[in-house]
Amino acid sequence: MKDVQGQSDHRGVAIQRVGVKGVHLPFLVKEKDNGFQSVLGNATLSVDLPHQYKGTHLSRFIEILHDWSRRPISTLELRNILDVTRERLDADRAHLRLGFKFFVAKKAPVSGIPQLMDYDVEFAATVDGSRTELTVGADVPVTTLCPCSKTISRYGAHNQRSVVRLRVRFTEGQFIWVEDLIRTVEALGSCELFPLLKREDEKYVTERAYENPKFVEDVLRDVVVAMRNEIRVQWFEVDVESMESIHNHNAFAWQQEACAVKPVDETARAGSEKNLEPVTTSSD
Amino acid sequence: MKDVQGQSDHRGVAIQRVGVKGVHLPFLVKEKDNGFQSVLGNATLSVDLPHQYKGTHLSRFIEILHDWSRRPISTLELRNILDVTRERLDADRAHLRLGFKFFVAKKAPVSGIPQLMDYDVEFAATVDGSRTELTVGADVPVTTLCPCSKTISRYGAHNQRSVVRLRVRFTEGQFIWVEDLIRTVEALGSCELFPLLKREDEKYVTERAYENPKFVEDVLRDVVVAMRNEIRVQWFEVDVESMESIHNHNAFAWQQEACAVKPVDETARAGSEKNLEPVTTSSD
Amino acid sequence: MKDVQGQSDHRGVAIQRVGVKGVHLPFLVKEKDNGFQSVLGNATLSVDLPHQYKGTHLSRFIEILHDWSRRPISTLELRNILDVTRERLDADRAHLRLGFKFFVAKKAPVSGIPQLMDYDVEFAATVDGSRTELTVGADVPVTTLCPCSKTISRYGAHNQRSVVRLRVRFTEGQFIWVEDLIRTVEALGSCELFPLLKREDEKYVTERAYENPKFVEDVLRDVVVAMRNEIRVQWFEVDVESMESIHNHNAFAWQQEACAVKPVDETARAGSEKNLEPVTTSSD
Amino acid sequence: MKDVQGQSDHRGVAIQRVGVKGVHLPFLVKEKDNGFQSVLGNATLSVDLPHQYKGTHLSRFIEILHDWSRRPISTLELRNILDVTRERLDADRAHLRLGFKFFVAKKAPVSGIPQLMDYDVEFAATVDGSRTELTVGADVPVTTLCPCSKTISRYGAHNQRSVVRLRVRFTEGQFIWVEDLIRTVEALGSCELFPLLKREDEKYVTERAYENPKFVEDVLRDVVVAMRNEIRVQWFEVDVESMESIHNHNAFAWQQEACAVKPVDETARAGSEKNLEPVTTSSD
């Protein structure tokens, strides 16, 4: 049968990305403490296409994703998936985004009841020749309680669910568990969320938020400071969006920074590679 | 050219609804006080299809919707649209749902600054022979402040944006402006929402919600009582959903009732027709 | 600490459903052939609330869902979850909906390459005193190729991805695997879909769809006939929606039927209970 | 009352963007031929916040959007909105995105029946000191018919609805009507879409698509060539996504290019300013 995709093209346009999107498959994601969890993945996988070829071979992307859907992965394995992709598709560059809901065990703040909380997580990677960029993102919901409302009112203060969307790109050779990113962000709202709260827990989170009022600006700044101090992060983007309980629209604050090269703390380096060269960041 | 749709079918299945969905067009919706507003409509229009015909003629649905997209309508005009539809499609029954964002003017509670607030509204109608059912629905966002959290905590109380989704079917010959439905529901939260609040307004809504704590159960019950007392309503469904500021999931309460025939208040009847026979309600 | 929810209420409104919505948890769903698969569940769990109580206890719903998130379930186990829910919440009625993506193994039609395809599935159950209603639903994507377009054109025919959304309520004591429902529906489009198609497979599905043109009306009728003949189904709803490749809106056909009591085929009855009494159907 | 937002902050973090998101308001959008149309806008408006201030004043953003919601705008007016925003908020930079459904009149290809088709459009602008970036985007749905499927099959070819998402940033002083962008893109699919097709029209679009097979790669390349040749475009991003009728996932191709400085065609320059300096592009 004729290979239509393999025919030549004469428009002189090298395509940056061509591939598949919205591919749902189960994946196994490595957990920090041990083992891995089965997640529902939503994958986007693509390669570049030189100007002389008419099309790519989409079925190979699906084969690669099926192959990897049953092997435990962390962000680090994305490099391997993309190396296979480049080889199978005969491409220089490859790009993968894998989004999924990820569950982390936590305990109610007073009663100590164990429970699972869900977070939207995204692993992304780009391989371009010898350059690799690994990005991990998490949407972390928190409570924010308005400092202005608290100050000007005789009692009460409006508060609401807000989402902190953080994406970080690792310094070459470094790595952060998504569980650690989530814990870092979760501590920076007026209070963190829990799936299950008994009465004593509800009293705790209500008072904790009231004692700790924060604008979206405050949460953003605290996350920015934390990321600037994080040696393993070379670039980050953070968006804090608050589903205001007093409005029918949202408040938000947003920041994107490429970090300066940081002095290397030897403890932090243990177990990671040495290459800390800043890589030119690109918009995804 | 052959009329494939007009061919005969031998499976013996009379189809209840066939038509078009997700048709976006501008529509003109009548306002209570005067005039009308241009809205972005999302329409679903269908008819029944007798068992002997293979298919319907979809282009006619689009012609009808285009015709009506430039004439001011309220729920009452839906009957006319469906009569035209039945005639053009040679059908016994027809069904229309028209969803849109609708804006209502309101003023900030203390500063009095005028503003527009948006609500998701739905008009729906079914005509079946001589029977007509008209339904209007609105999603009304409000603040809810948790009575339990307020009672057990030394200070503060968790609160959040909640949505009251109300759909009512009119008693035959009766009619309610969607602006009136929205106002009724909006008064039943811990506090109503506003697009624009100056500092004195923010103080007001914060204190108002704190003085007026309500569970989703409380809001639901207050809406149910209001609808049971509403002579123009023959059936209603209400769903109160609260985007809990302390959890990553929502709380909700739901009710669906066909109202008993109500004694007719002569004032309420003025200006409406006399037929108050309860019509058998059907799901959607 | 005060039990605010347990306080008495004087509005005289017994609430039909109050509970939690949008609860994401992993669940284990039994497969037909053997074992079970880990799915990402989205649960809604509720009970009725007598008129004299002010509120329900939401944390108990979360405890129940956590308990069941690690035990393999099919539709049949929903009854047990609801019995526990009624007991823990001291309620007469309980209602559960559990939505998830479910994967079914299939093979490419010519090359035979094995693969996993994803379907949106929903389990739902209502227990009301001694009455139980179990519903299973699946969204099954298929190709539809337009008979009119094929007939009137010199070559080609427009075709597109369409979704058949089928929900069935089981005859009391009967049960159908969701894999079987999916297979039944999938065979009724112009052609079924596959995640992975090699060139010989793509030729097959292209020609198969062209040889088998179907309107949404045709697919609907074929599903209706199949369900009318299915002794284990007491009620069904089917919606066929086609993302027309020639329009920016969709075509659809919809049907909802409560089935007549069917003569019992002894073979079909084997292994199921005998109660075939039709239960009054209610809208969701 | 205390101005909490005006208090000083000591974390040393200048915030890049803070403001409001998801603000729904009607807007009046200028049309190419004459007049303007009322659209349902979804606005995001933000400013930068110097490191020494604790917070911004969100109510002012809403006032500005309300002010502009009743004056006819094109992309060009976004500059004025942002100048007012910077002044009212005392900020150096401001950013606006305004998304809406926009209707364009078109005629059925054979019968000539006039109709309105809807497109998702986005206006965006950033003002940073003296630098202004204006971006216009449109999601244009088209039919794509697969060249491989056509070539290898005895008859037929799979086809589907695809969406071309194009965003362009204007060369300083230049401007393109969104109607023109849409027309350009719409001509580059296998066939364009229409809301209303009579039988003779359906024959036309079926045969036209079959005669004009295109992969997502083909559509992308044709759009890229068109944009490279467009003197008024300084940067563009294009994403072609195809809702494959034979799969349950999508195929896509993506490109982002900053254009080289183009020789200025005197005709094209008429009526526009002369500054054609390429502006450093940034990821949105």
Side-chain angles (χ1 to χ4, degrees), chain B residues 1-278:
Chain B
M1 244 175 275
K2 215 166 161 184
D3 178 4
V4 182
Q5 282 85 350
Q7 292 174 334
S8 58
D9 195 272
H10 306 287
R11 279 163 288 197
V13 177
I15 295 180
Q16 294 169 356
R17 292 187 192 168
V18 54
V20 293
K21 198 181 264 195
V23 181
H24 289 97
L25 273 178
F27 281 88
L28 299 173
V29 173
K30 289 185 184 172
E31 295 176 339
K32 183 186 178 187
D33 292 332
N34 54 7
F36 51 83
Q37 67 179 261
S38 176
V39 305
L40 169 62
N42 181 345
T44 303
L45 181 60
S46 64
V47 294
D48 66 314
L49 183 72
H51 69 87
Q52 66 271 26
Y53 297 115
K54 184 168 173 62
T56 192
H57 293 86
L58 295 177
S59 66
R60 296 180 195 170
F61 294 93
I62 303 295
E63 288 175 318
I64 293 163
L65 291 170
H66 266 76
D67 283 351
W68 282 91
S69 81
R70 291 296 177 191
R71 307 190 213 175
I73 59 173
S74 68
T75 327
L76 297 175
E77 280 75 16
L78 266 52
R79 204 181 312 206
N80 303 331
I81 302 178
L82 292 182
D83 282 341
V84 171
T85 304
R86 292 198 300 162
E87 194 192 316
R88 294 285 309 279
L89 275 301
D90 197 18
D92 287 329
R93 286 180 309 224
H95 182 73
L96 172 63
R97 296 181 95 157
L98 181 64
F100 51 91
K101 280 212 184 282
F102 187 69
F103 290 89
V104 180
K106 59 192 297 186
K107 286 182 177 169
V110 179
S111 67
I113 298 175
Q115 47 198 286
L116 287 179
M117 184 148 144
D118 58 304
Y119 304 86
D120 284 311
V121 167
E122 184 186 89
F123 288 173
T126 301
V127 174
D128 181 356
S130 63
R131 190 170 68 110
T132 302
E133 283 182 357
L134 296 181
T135 308
V136 63
D139 293 358
V140 183
V142 297
T143 304
T144 52
L145 185 138
C146 179
C148 173
S149 170
K150 176 180 172 180
T151 300
I152 64 179
S153 305
R154 282 174 296 160
Y155 32 69
H158 77 82
N159 53 78
Q160 51 269 320
R161 201 190 296 164
S162 300
V163 181
V164 184
R165 298 184 188 92
L166 175 64
R167 290 199 303 149
V168 307
R169 193 161 296 151
F170 299 147
T171 307
E172 190 97 30
Q174 301 283 354
F175 172 76
I176 303 176
W177 288 101
V178 72
E179 289 93 330
D180 291 338
L181 268 189
I182 288 169
R183 288 304 307 149
T184 298
V185 171
E186 207 155 49
L188 301 174
S190 290
C191 188
E192 59 184 298
L193 305 191
F194 298 90
L196 198 162
L197 295 168
K198 288 297 182 184
R199 229 164 312 175
E200 58 269 34
D201 301 312
E202 185 170 359
K203 173 177 160 58
Y204 172 85
V205 298
T206 303
E207 296 176 354
R208 162 82 184 146
Y210 192 79
E211 292 158 356
N212 192 28
K214 287 197 170 192
F215 287 127
V216 290
E217 291 95 324
D218 292 310
V219 179
L220 185 96
R221 278 176 165 141
D222 289 344
V223 175
V224 166
V225 168
M227 291 303 112
R228 286 181 182 172
N229 290 333
E230 174 53 79
I231 196 167
R232 295 168 295 179
V233 168
Q234 177 228 111
W235 170 97
F236 66 89
E237 180 181 64
V238 56
D239 181 71
V240 184
E241 182 170 358
S242 170
M243 289 172 278
E244 300 284 289
S245 64
I246 59 171
H247 296 305
N248 201 18
H249 61 260
N250 298 345
F252 84 104
W254 177 90
Q255 195 89 345
Q256 195 185 74
E257 293 189 9
C259 307
V261 187
K262 292 155 185 167
V264 182
D265 169 336
E266 290 303 318
T267 320
R269 279 181 66 174
S272 57
E273 294 159 47
K274 69 249 110 184
N275 186 352
L276 290 171
E277 291 293 296

Side-chain angles (χ1 to χ4, degrees), chain A residues 217-265:
Chain A
E217 292 94 324
D218 291 312
V219 179
L220 184 95
R221 278 176 165 142
D222 288 344
V223 175
V224 166
V225 168
M227 291 303 114
R228 285 183 183 171
N229 289 333
E230 174 52 80
I231 196 169
R232 295 168 295 179
V233 168
Q234 177 227 111
W235 169 97
F236 65 89
E237 180 181 62
V238 55
D239 181 72
V240 183
E241 182 169 357
S242 169
M243 288 172 279
E244 301 283 289
S245 64
I246 60 172
H247 297 304
N248 201 17
H249 61 259
N250 297 346
F252 83 104
W254 178 90
Q255 194 90 345
Q256 194 185 74
E257 293 189 8
C259 306
V261 186
K262 291 156 185 166
V264 183
D265 170 335

Side-chain angles (χ1 to χ4, degrees), chain C residues 71-133:
Chain C
R71 308 190 213 175
I73 58 174
S74 69
T75 328
L76 297 176
E77 280 75 17
L78 268 52
R79 204 180 309 204
N80 304 331
I81 302 178
L82 292 181
D83 283 340
V84 171
T85 304
R86 293 198 301 161
E87 193 192 315
R88 293 286 309 279
L89 275 302
D90 196 20
D92 287 330
R93 285 179 310 221
H95 182 72
L96 172 64
R97 297 182 94 156
L98 181 65
F100 51 91
K101 280 215 184 279
F102 187 70
F103 290 88
V104 180
K106 59 193 298 186
K107 286 181 178 170
V110 179
S111 68
I113 298 176
Q115 46 198 284
L116 287 179
M117 184 147 143
D118 58 304
Y119 304 85
D120 284 312
V121 167
E122 184 186 88
F123 288 172
T126 301
V127 174
D128 182 356
S130 64
R131 191 170 67 110
T132 301
E133 283 182 358

Side-chain angles (χ1 to χ4, degrees), chain D residues 219-234:
Chain D
V219 179
L220 184 96
R221 278 176 165 139
D222 288 344
V223 175
V224 167
V225 168
M227 291 303 114
R228 285 181 182 172
N229 290 334
E230 174 52 79
I231 196 168
R232 294 168 295 179
V233 168
Q234 177 229 109

